[in-house]
Amino acid sequence: MLELRLVQGSLLKKVLEAIKDLVTDANFDCSATGFSLQAMDSSHVALVALLLRSEGFEHYRCDRNLSMGMNLNNMAKMLKCAGNDDIITIKADDGSDTVTFMFESPTQDKISDFEMKLMDIDSEHLGIPEAEYHAIVRMPSAEFARICKDLASIGDTVVISVTKEGVKFSTRGDIGTANIVLRQNTTVDKPEEATIIEMNEPVSLTFALRYMNSFTKATPLSNTVTISLSSELPVVVEYKIAEMGYIRFYLAPKIEEDEDETKPQV
Amino acid sequence: MLELRLVQGSLLKKVLEAIKDLVTDANFDCSATGFSLQAMDSSHVALVALLLRSEGFEHYRCDRNLSMGMNLNNMAKMLKCAGNDDIITIKADDGSDTVTFMFESPTQDKISDFEMKLMDIDSEHLGIPEAEYHAIVRMPSAEFARICKDLASIGDTVVISVTKEGVKFSTRGDIGTANIVLRQNTTVDKPEEATIIEMNEPVSLTFALRYMNSFTKATPLSNTVTISLSSELPVVVEYKIAEMGYIRFYLAPKIEEDEDETKPQV
Amino acid sequence: MLELRLVQGSLLKKVLEAIKDLVTDANFDCSATGFSLQAMDSSHVALVALLLRSEGFEHYRCDRNLSMGMNLNNMAKMLKCAGNDDIITIKADDGSDTVTFMFESPTQDKISDFEMKLMDIDSEHLGIPEAEYHAIVRMPSAEFARICKDLASIGDTVVISVTKEGVKFSTRGDIGTANIVLRQNTTVDKPEEATIIEMNEPVSLTFALRYMNSFTKATPLSNTVTISLSSELPVVVEYKIAEMGYIRFYLAPKIEEDEDETKPQV
């Protein structure tokens, strides 16, 4: 028996909006510690890892570990029917092949339950080792989304280059080139507006903008985003979910075929 | 000679937006009592009845009964050109084959007149008998629109079931099932937020969501909607038009072919 | 060496949005007096003339006259990447085949530079003689945009007729006819809401609505628009750019083939 009651139901709505375009079908894993998901995107290039810790739920009952295969588009359709202020409860009976989403309006005058068929999905859980990163950039999530969107109007890939002074996002396309530099900046009115760079050594890596733009669908979940970079490691783009957990996106850097053409000019 | 001057011209704009997708061509009937319309939708499944009483107009002159055939899409195009604060006057000379819509801006600095050709439309006016309904539900119109839209993302039909405790809207589709229950609730801050159920006997009827969603285009006309249900009678979905009249939509229930599959579970 | 620094960078963004759908490629001409453009639309029917005077720039350095051929769509793509509060600097080295747009955020924490290839574009600069106009109408730009949009839902051409009392915009299409009359009106709360008519003699001219609607893309640049009319001269539709210059659109009137059909009825 599973029963997870989330007062801030809009979080779950936003989580689904963040990942449904990247991942078609996935297993949600429930255990005593939390509600989590790990899945490759359909082209097997990017990895999504979601964690909602049990402490974040008003009520969290999970009698035994359970893996529930869901079509994320269908799940998103159902969650869209929840109001933004609704309490959402996820329920499943032992051995059942369905999951139920219950939505309660704040006044309790409207109660909805949506029942969805579960799917059998083969998946192997990848162990993601803790790694040391050359550079970690924390910046406003809306700014990162804006930059990825802007650069995608010019080129297909982004070179992210980090130095102590700042982080540079560059691209090149048929119509020209673009460089956007953000300076390290911690003297801001609101802490979430800061751009903070922790750097052990300079790093410059190239990524497909298509995936970066897909990751920024998680922007409504958090005011800030953290980008962790190391040469020859996948970048981690992390959005914290208020006091509950995170969504992390992993993407391998592109290997440059022509160094001269796309060499970053920090 | 016909001359109908409506100070709140936006009402007429909203009326056209409410019915133009459902009905292509229709006769507007003018008499001493008011400006009205009765028409079947193009697939002859739903019926629309509109009444704007003469008392609601600032000036109402209708020398003799007149039936004016109009293409509602073209009429809507013209009314869209009226500002939301404009006064709208409908004018027609005796025997003329055109109708004129005149729009006056509140400051009288902008005066527009749009002339439209009338059409000959065959139509028989159906007598709609007053009926006793098993159950009448009055609820916020935006809530009803939200429910019909949400359910249409899951299935094609809605089962509306009324008991003393509340009204349940259910559907079933390929991806699962959905049940939305609204409780009777009269202790609200604003009267238009109440959900009020008058019930003589429980009723449970099935309707095509496509039509229900079309009816909810009238939502901007009124804060509340009234749904009148009886077994073997068409449902009436009514939107009152402030102190002037109403739009009523009639739709026959679907006969269930497989009772077990879609039986309401109140 | 060219370096033009515009504090109100959003003006340049709006200029590009105003002309990019009308003109594909064009030469921007830089001289000591200002930054200007003159170009025919791709069907060679309408003419655009832009002037941004050097005094309007915070810094204006233009060592020698320079003509830079640009693809306006690509330029608009790059300018879209500037924030609305950004300072924009246009830079070009002597003899370079590229131009650089630099965007600085108000806090100087984000600096972007976008480099675009220049093009060779053949163009002859037309001398536009100063002309006497029969009638000049100044009116709110949003009202003009609304009227052109509304009339385009009814017909393809607009007859603009000016008398001392007002200006009339008329059209005729398959579904009927439309006349919109604006009265001269100078007693308004805000000067930009006035409709002011300077008339030497009545005039009535016919224009393609498609072009008029294209010109109204410049509406965000100015609260008012000035329309200058003379029989047998192109109309001038002018949007002033705050203390810096203007965009002017020129369009030849259509010659009526059937006077009776479309004769204006002032």
Side-chain angles (χ1 to χ4, degrees):
Chain A
M1 165 98 189
L2 176 87
E3 194 170 300
L4 318 182
R5 181 177 163 94
L6 183 61
V7 173
Q8 216 180 328
S10 61
L11 282 184
L12 198 61
K13 289 169 61 98
K14 289 177 190 167
V15 163
L16 264 287
E17 291 305 308
I19 59 180
K20 77 178 166 65
D21 293 339
L22 201 63
V23 179
T24 311
D25 302 316
N27 284 317
F28 281 88
D29 298 309
C30 307
S31 71
T33 52
F35 188 68
S36 66
L37 168 148
Q38 197 196 77
M40 299 295 287
D41 83 291
S42 44
S43 54
H44 284 256
V45 171
L47 179 79
V48 189
L50 162 77
L51 173 63
L52 298 174
R53 277 185 287 269
S54 54
E55 306 91 79
F57 292 83
E58 194 201 33
H59 173 72
Y60 191 96
R61 176 175 172 188
C62 175
D63 296 348
R64 54 187 189 79
N65 288 3
L66 198 63
S67 188
M68 298 187 290
M70 307 202 198
N71 176 290
L72 297 196
N73 248 306
N74 292 347
M75 184 179 172
K77 268 186 197 172
M78 289 188 165
L79 292 181
K80 265 196 182 163
C81 301
N84 282 328
D85 301 324
D86 281 5
I87 298 166
I88 297 183
T89 304
I90 304 171
K91 289 195 246 187
D93 287 327
D94 287 337
S96 168
D97 63 346
T98 64
V99 61
T100 297
F101 306 106
M102 191 177 84
F103 314 140
E104 299 162 67
S105 72
T107 57
Q108 296 288 325
D109 290 329
K110 181 180 176 186
I111 312 283
S112 311
D113 55 276
F114 284 69
E115 192 176 305
M116 189 174 80
K117 279 231 172 62
L118 294 174
M119 314 165 67
D120 274 324
I121 299 169
D122 280 338
S123 72
E124 54 179 325
H125 201 86
L126 304 173
I128 300 168
E130 285 291 312
E132 287 282 308
Y133 286 94
H134 294 164
I136 298 176
V137 178
R138 184 159 77 73
M139 59 182 286
S141 60
E143 186 65 85
F144 179 63
R146 173 79 200 256
I147 289 170
C148 292
K149 180 172 152 281
D150 283 348
L151 292 184
S153 71
I154 310 292
D156 296 328
T157 60
V158 56
V159 181
I160 305 182
S161 313
V162 185
T163 63
K164 284 219 161 106
E165 287 70 40
V167 51
K168 183 165 81 159
F169 302 87
S170 307
T171 195
R172 169 185 297 271
D174 292 341
I175 72 171
T177 63
N179 296 290
I180 300 174
V181 176
L182 286 191
R183 293 192 200 160
Q184 153 117 300
N185 171 16
T186 56
T187 58
V188 288
D189 291 347
K190 301 174 190 167
E192 68 265 28
E193 289 172 356
T195 298
I196 299 167
I197 296 168
E198 288 172 43
M199 197 195 77
N200 296 320
E201 55 181 284
V203 63
S204 176
L205 295 164
T206 305
F207 302 99
L209 274 167
R210 195 163 76 79
Y211 288 100
M212 286 292 174
N213 270 307
S214 183
F215 301 165
T216 63
K217 298 246 165 84
T219 303
L221 277 166
S222 177
N223 285 326
T224 61
V225 61
T226 304
I227 305 163
S228 303
L229 299 140
S230 264
S231 6
E232 287 155 38
L233 266 187
V235 64
V236 189
V237 178
E238 173 176 310
Y239 296 84
K240 290 246 185 287
I241 301 172
E243 290 162 44
M244 284 201 72
Y246 56 76
I247 291 192
R248 289 181 188 150
F249 299 97
Y250 297 83
L251 178 66
K254 287 177 94 83
I255 310 304
E256 291 310 324
E257 288 164 24
D258 184 345
E259 271 290 320
D260 290 331
E261 267 298 292
T262 53
K263 191 169 63 176
Q265 303 132 11
V266 185
Chain B
M1 166 98 188
L2 176 88
E3 197 171 297
L4 318 183
R5 181 177 163 93
L6 184 62
V7 174
Q8 216 180 328
S10 60
L11 282 184
L12 197 62
K13 288 167 63 95
K14 289 176 190 166
V15 163
L16 263 289
E17 291 306 308
I19 60 180
K20 77 177 165 65
D21 293 340
L22 200 65
V23 178
T24 312
D25 302 314
N27 285 316
F28 281 89
D29 299 309
C30 307
S31 71
T33 52
F35 188 68
S36 65
L37 169 149
Q38 196 196 79
M40 298 297 287
D41 83 291
S42 43
S43 55
H44 285 257
V45 172
L47 178 79
V48 189
L50 163 75
L51 175 64
L52 298 174
R53 276 184 287 268
S54 53
E55 306 92 78
F57 292 83
E58 194 202 30
H59 173 72
Y60 192 95
R61 176 176 170 186
C62 176
D63 296 346
R64 55 188 188 81
N65 288 3
L66 199 63
S67 189
M68 297 187 293
M70 307 201 198
N71 175 291
L72 297 195
N73 247 306
N74 292 347
M75 183 178 172
K77 268 187 196 170
M78 290 189 166
L79 292 180
K80 265 194 180 162
C81 300
N84 282 328
D85 300 324
D86 282 5
I87 297 167
I88 296 182
T89 304
I90 305 172
K91 289 195 247 188
D93 288 326
D94 286 337
S96 168
D97 64 345
T98 65
V99 61
T100 298
F101 305 106
M102 191 175 85
F103 313 139
E104 299 163 66
S105 72
T107 57
Q108 296 289 324
D109 290 329
K110 182 182 177 187
I111 311 283
S112 311
D113 54 276
F114 284 70
E115 192 177 303
M116 189 174 80
K117 280 230 173 63
L118 294 175
M119 314 165 67
D120 275 324
I121 300 169
D122 281 338
S123 73
E124 54 179 325
H125 201 87
L126 305 173
I128 300 167
E130 286 291 313
E132 286 282 309
Y133 286 95
H134 293 165
I136 297 176
V137 177
R138 185 160 78 72
M139 60 183 285
S141 60
E143 185 65 85
F144 179 63
R146 173 80 199 256
I147 290 170
C148 291
K149 180 171 152 284
D150 283 347
L151 294 184
S153 70
I154 310 294
D156 295 328
T157 60
V158 56
V159 181
I160 305 180
S161 313
V162 184
T163 63
K164 284 221 160 107
E165 287 69 40
V167 50
K168 183 164 79 160
F169 302 87
S170 308
T171 194
R172 168 185 298 271
D174 290 343
I175 73 171
T177 63
N179 296 290
I180 301 174
V181 176
L182 287 192
R183 293 191 199 161
Q184 154 115 301
N185 172 15
T186 56
T187 58
V188 287
D189 291 348
K190 300 174 190 168
E192 68 265 28
E193 289 171 357
T195 298
I196 299 168
I197 295 168
E198 288 171 44
M199 197 196 77
N200 296 320
E201 55 180 285
V203 63
S204 176
L205 296 164
T206 305
F207 302 98
L209 273 167
R210 195 163 76 79
Y211 288 100
M212 285 292 173
N213 270 307
S214 184
F215 301 164
T216 62
K217 299 246 165 83
T219 304
L221 279 166
S222 178
N223 285 325
T224 60
V225 61
T226 305
I227 305 162
S228 302
L229 298 141
S230 264
S231 8
E232 287 154 42
L233 268 187
V235 63
V236 188
V237 178
E238 172 176 310
Y239 296 85
K240 289 245 184 289
I241 302 172
E243 290 161 44
M244 284 201 72
Y246 54 78
I247 291 191
R248 290 181 187 148
F249 299 97
Y250 297 82
L251 179 65
K254 286 176 94 84
I255 309 305
E256 292 309 326
E257 287 164 26
D258 184 343
E259 270 292 319
D260 290 331
E261 268 296 292
T262 51
K263 191 169 62 176
Q265 303 132 11
V266 186
Chain C
M1 164 96 190
L2 175 88
E3 197 170 299
L4 318 182
R5 182 177 162 92
L6 184 62
V7 174
Q8 215 180 326
S10 61
L11 282 184
L12 198 62
K13 290 167 61 96
K14 288 177 191 167
V15 163
L16 263 288
E17 291 307 307
I19 60 179
K20 78 176 165 65
D21 292 339
L22 201 64
V23 178
T24 312
D25 303 314
N27 284 316
F28 281 88
D29 299 309
C30 307
S31 71
T33 53
F35 188 68
S36 64
L37 170 148
Q38 197 196 77
M40 298 295 290
D41 82 292
S42 44
S43 55
H44 284 258
V45 172
L47 179 79
V48 189
L50 163 75
L51 173 64
L52 298 175
R53 277 184 287 270
S54 53
E55 307 91 77
F57 292 83
E58 194 202 32
H59 173 73
Y60 191 96
R61 177 176 171 186
C62 176
D63 297 347
R64 55 186 189 82
N65 287 3
L66 198 63
S67 187
M68 298 187 291
M70 306 200 199
N71 176 291
L72 298 195
N73 247 307
N74 292 347
M75 184 178 172
K77 267 186 196 170
M78 290 188 165
L79 292 181
K80 265 195 182 163
C81 300
N84 282 327
D85 300 324
D86 281 6
I87 298 167
I88 297 183
T89 304
I90 305 172
K91 289 196 246 187
D93 288 327
D94 286 336
S96 168
D97 64 344
T98 65
V99 61
T100 297
F101 305 105
M102 191 176 85
F103 314 139
E104 299 163 66
S105 72
T107 57
Q108 297 288 324
D109 290 330
K110 181 181 177 187
I111 311 283
S112 310
D113 54 276
F114 284 70
E115 191 177 305
M116 189 174 79
K117 280 231 173 61
L118 294 175
M119 315 164 67
D120 275 322
I121 298 169
D122 280 337
S123 73
E124 52 179 327
H125 201 86
L126 304 173
I128 300 168
E130 286 292 312
E132 287 281 308
Y133 286 94
H134 293 166
I136 298 177
V137 177
R138 185 159 77 74
M139 59 183 285
S141 60
E143 185 66 84
F144 180 62
R146 173 79 200 256
I147 289 170
C148 291
K149 180 171 151 284
D150 282 347
L151 293 185
S153 70
I154 310 293
D156 296 327
T157 61
V158 56
V159 181
I160 306 182
S161 313
V162 184
T163 62
K164 285 219 161 107
E165 287 70 40
V167 50
K168 184 165 80 161
F169 302 87
S170 306
T171 195
R172 168 187 297 273
D174 290 344
I175 73 170
T177 64
N179 296 291
I180 300 175
V181 176
L182 287 192
R183 295 192 197 160
Q184 154 117 300
N185 172 16
T186 57
T187 58
V188 288
D189 290 348
K190 301 174 190 167
E192 68 265 28
E193 289 173 357
T195 297
I196 298 168
I197 295 168
E198 288 172 43
M199 196 197 78
N200 296 319
E201 54 181 284
V203 61
S204 176
L205 296 164
T206 305
F207 301 99
L209 274 167
R210 195 163 76 78
Y211 288 99
M212 286 292 173
N213 270 307
S214 183
F215 302 163
T216 62
K217 298 246 165 84
T219 303
L221 278 166
S222 177
N223 285 326
T224 60
V225 62
T226 304
I227 305 162
S228 302
L229 299 142
S230 266
S231 5
E232 287 154 40
L233 267 187
V235 64
V236 189
V237 178
E238 174 176 309
Y239 295 84
K240 290 248 185 286
I241 301 172
E243 290 162 45
M244 285 201 71
Y246 55 77
I247 291 191
R248 291 182 187 148
F249 299 99
Y250 297 82
L251 178 65
K254 287 175 93 83
I255 310 303
E256 291 311 324
E257 287 163 25
D258 184 343
E259 272 289 321
D260 290 332
E261 267 298 293
T262 53
K263 191 170 60 174
Q265 303 131 10
V266 186

